[in-house]
Amino acid sequence: MASREPRHFCPLVEDSFCRFSSQSNVYSLSAFPTISGSKDLLAATLKGKVIHFRYQQLPQKVRAVAKEVQFTYIPVDAEIVSIDAFNKSAPKRGLVVGITFIKDSGDKASPFLNIYCDYEPGSEYNLDSIAQSCLNLELQFTPFQLYHAEVQEDGKYEVVFLLTGNDRCVHMYKENELLHQFEEQPVSNLFPELKEMQSNVLSLNVLNIPNSCRRLTAFGCQSGYVGICHVDQYSKTVLYEWNMQQDGPISKVVLFSLTNFIEKKGYDGLQQAPSNVPGGESVEEHNLLVTSTIELSVVYRNVLKDGLNEQLILPESDQYDSVLCALVVDVDFDGVKEILLGTYGQELLCYKYIRNGSADPDTISCDPAVQAAGEFCLLWKRSFLSPLLSMVYVDLTYDGLSELAVSSLKGLHILQHSLNQTTALVLDRLRWKVTELENRSNASKTDESHQDHYTEGNRAQNSTF
């Protein structure tokens, strides 16, 4: 497929950079919500350091602050593999942090999972206090991705840790409320789709389908095996499953919808909406992004309807070495999400779905004939000075605009939206909204005028009789 150099430019500008003391990896970045409503970051390095990155609110400005957190029971010679953090589901309170690492024990390496959580009232969200409250679990396998997912059990919402490893298993860690600690439980208790894996899982993603009791679970393996399951959470049964085999290791799987879901008020993501309630079912397609270390990245459209049959290729996604990280977010505020790929070749790639030739062929890196049929096209790319390992898109400054945090081999980059471009966009949309309201008002007045003429005409006609 012929391709052109994209003419769009990255709308994000770098605001700050935090250099790491040692290199990081693909599982080393996690965002967590704070009590104030903003998001903070935890970034881990291989040499056992964990950095807490946040923006500090000052009277006239905000300031980027990076501080090392001294998590207990991590030896000085340990190598951190993965990190994850989440807030407990209501009505429970508290921040939970999980860190996997490998300790050099001479003859052999000893892997561990540390889970940090403080149950002392008033300290549930104090990171320094949480870092001193540790549950240390020795593992019998080399850990990979540490991931959290919200499930529903016995009418209660619960967030659990899911840990993949080199034993071709997915391990689940759930809180024991009586003992006030996390413990490993059979993954089949809540995730029957993860009971038996074909290969070591490198990437796992769970999507709770809004307005239903169902979820989608996707996983990509070291062997190139990709699986996706449609699961009923109430009955804990696998309704459908699809799978396929690629040639190389799968670096990332992401379940997403191109636009936001339309949800019925009164029904949240895990509740079953009655069939007679309008909007009880999601009207959006659910898609699956699959990135590979050696192949082109692809999107499987509408997996609930077509499984893994409708494949769309992301052009040039194999031209910048391996794709190591990916996000699906709306970075241009048009209501339709874009795909961001981070590569070992030091490039950030942005793809946009073009439907029915709606874009100008001169501004999109894609064949015009393909645009007419609908396809993902390369919108822009941005170069960095080192390989890109992981990304998150969250509101770090609590101003309503999300920042893109990119973890590279050298450190943490924080990219922000240009305020000039964002201001111009807001003003343009306000003008459009005012015009729309004026048109509605004029149309309403016209209808009232026609109704008055009709009423007067009827009165005059009745008076003649």
Side-chain angles (χ1 to χ4, degrees):
M1 179 189 302
S3 180
R4 315 175 186 186
E5 187 71 15
R7 296 187 185 179
H8 280 226
F9 296 98
C10 174
L12 304 166
V13 294
E14 185 160 320
D15 176 72
S16 61
F17 173 72
C18 173
R19 185 174 296 277
F20 294 152
S21 59
S22 62
Q23 71 180 46
S24 186
N25 67 25
V26 296
Y27 303 130
S28 63
L29 185 62
S30 178
F32 64 93
T34 65
I35 297 179
S36 66
S38 64
K39 296 288 182 71
D40 288 3
L41 301 176
L42 289 176
T45 66
L46 292 182
K47 295 303 180 181
K49 305 289 186 182
V50 179
I51 306 300
H52 176 206
F53 184 92
R54 65 188 181 92
Y55 275 87
Q56 181 182 17
Q57 300 287 339
L58 299 176
Q60 300 296 327
K61 62 179 181 179
V62 293
R63 181 181 66 180
V65 177
K67 173 189 172 185
E68 181 181 350
V69 182
Q70 301 292 336
F71 283 93
T72 57
Y73 295 101
I74 299 181
V76 293
D77 59 347
E79 291 191 357
I80 294 180
V81 178
S82 51
I83 188 170
D84 193 24
F86 63 83
N87 280 353
K88 296 180 183 180
S89 297
K92 295 182 180 180
R93 287 173 50 83
L95 171 67
V96 182
V97 179
I99 300 175
T100 69
F101 63 91
I102 298 176
K103 177 184 176 183
D104 186 1
S105 302
D107 295 339
K108 66 171 186 176
S110 301
F112 291 87
L113 165 63
N114 284 0
I115 299 179
Y116 300 87
C117 180
D118 196 333
Y119 291 91
E120 189 70 24
S123 301
E124 302 97 333
Y125 297 97
N126 187 313
L127 190 58
D128 291 327
S129 178
I130 291 169
Q132 306 304 310
S133 305
C134 175
L135 172 66
N136 181 251
L137 301 172
E138 186 169 6
L139 306 175
Q140 303 303 315
F141 57 93
T142 301
F144 292 158
Q145 182 189 19
L146 183 61
Y147 182 81
H148 70 269
E150 186 177 56
V151 295
Q152 188 178 36
E153 184 182 32
D154 300 328
K156 298 179 181 179
Y157 295 100
E158 187 86 12
V159 183
V160 300
F161 274 127
L162 296 172
L163 177 60
T164 69
N166 72 337
D167 58 350
R168 297 202 307 179
C169 295
V170 178
H171 302 262
M172 183 181 75
Y173 299 87
K174 183 176 178 291
E175 185 180 24
N176 185 321
E177 295 187 40
L178 297 178
L179 298 178
H180 277 192
Q181 67 179 29
F182 281 76
E183 62 185 15
E184 183 173 5
Q185 297 184 8
V187 71
S188 57
N189 288 356
L190 296 176
F191 293 87
E193 67 272 31
L194 301 177
K195 184 178 180 180
E196 297 180 0
M197 296 288 100
Q198 299 291 326
S199 175
N200 298 331
V201 176
L202 299 182
S203 181
L204 179 66
N205 192 227
V206 178
L207 172 67
N208 291 319
I209 300 176
N211 305 326
S212 80
C213 63
R214 296 168 284 113
R215 70 166 174 257
L216 287 170
T217 302
F219 50 87
C221 300
Q222 194 171 11
S223 65
Y225 184 86
V226 177
I228 181 170
C229 302
H230 185 204
V231 182
D232 185 289
Q233 296 200 68
Y234 285 170
S235 63
K236 298 182 177 62
T237 56
V238 179
L239 303 176
Y240 300 100
E241 55 183 317
W242 305 269
N243 58 75
M244 52 90 63
Q245 183 70 47
Q246 290 197 5
D247 291 335
I250 303 302
S251 56
K252 194 75 174 179
V253 291
V254 180
L255 291 160
F256 70 97
S257 156
L258 278 176
T259 56
N260 293 326
F261 292 106
I262 297 177
E263 300 184 17
K264 181 66 181 177
K265 282 189 175 180
Y267 299 95
D268 52 38
L270 291 178
Q271 284 185 297
Q272 175 65 60
S275 58
N276 62 342
V277 175
E281 290 292 326
S282 167
V283 298
E284 292 296 331
E285 296 180 351
H286 302 284
N287 313 296
L288 175 64
L289 167 65
V290 179
T291 69
S292 169
T293 57
I294 63 174
E295 294 185 80
L296 283 161
S297 299
V298 296
V299 171
Y300 295 96
R301 292 292 307 277
N302 202 2
V303 291
L304 282 178
K305 176 177 178 293
D306 299 318
L308 299 178
N309 294 321
E310 186 181 346
Q311 181 190 87
L312 298 178
I313 292 175
L314 303 186
E316 300 184 57
S317 56
D318 62 343
Q319 300 299 306
Y320 304 96
D321 213 319
S322 299
V323 174
L324 299 182
C325 52
L327 284 176
V328 183
V329 292
D330 182 11
V331 293
D332 60 4
F333 309 120
D334 67 346
V336 179
K337 299 173 185 174
E338 288 76 45
I339 294 178
L340 300 179
L341 302 181
T343 72
Y344 193 83
Q346 308 175 16
E347 292 290 335
L348 176 63
L349 310 177
C350 178
Y351 291 87
K352 192 169 189 64
Y353 183 69
I354 306 302
R355 190 194 308 269
N356 299 325
S358 58
D360 179 0
D362 291 331
T363 62
I364 302 293
S365 179
C366 188
D367 190 285
V370 175
Q371 289 185 28
E375 184 59 286
F376 285 96
C377 301
L378 182 59
L379 185 64
W380 52 259
K381 59 183 180 180
R382 186 188 191 281
S383 298
F384 288 76
L385 297 178
S386 60
L388 309 185
L389 304 178
S390 57
M391 299 185 293
V392 294
Y393 186 69
V394 292
D395 186 1
L396 298 172
T397 54
Y398 199 32
D399 62 354
L401 288 177
S402 292
E403 283 75 35
L404 178 65
V406 181
S407 177
S408 70
L409 207 59
K410 297 291 182 65
L412 181 64
H413 305 260
I414 305 298
L415 307 182
Q416 293 184 333
H417 289 275
S418 167
L419 290 181
N420 291 334
Q421 295 178 12
T422 306
T423 301
L425 179 63
V426 170
L427 292 175
D428 183 62
R429 291 189 176 175
L430 286 174
R431 283 191 288 266
W432 176 85
K433 189 65 177 178
V434 169
T435 302
E436 182 188 37
L437 292 174
E438 289 176 347
N439 291 339
R440 287 183 181 179
S441 177
N442 293 334
S444 176
K445 291 178 180 179
T446 301
D447 291 340
E448 291 176 0
S449 176
H450 288 166
Q451 182 64 32
D452 290 342
H453 284 303
Y454 176 78
T455 303
E456 291 296 330
N458 285 341
R459 289 175 180 171
Q461 185 177 11
N462 293 333
S463 65
T464 59
F465 292 100

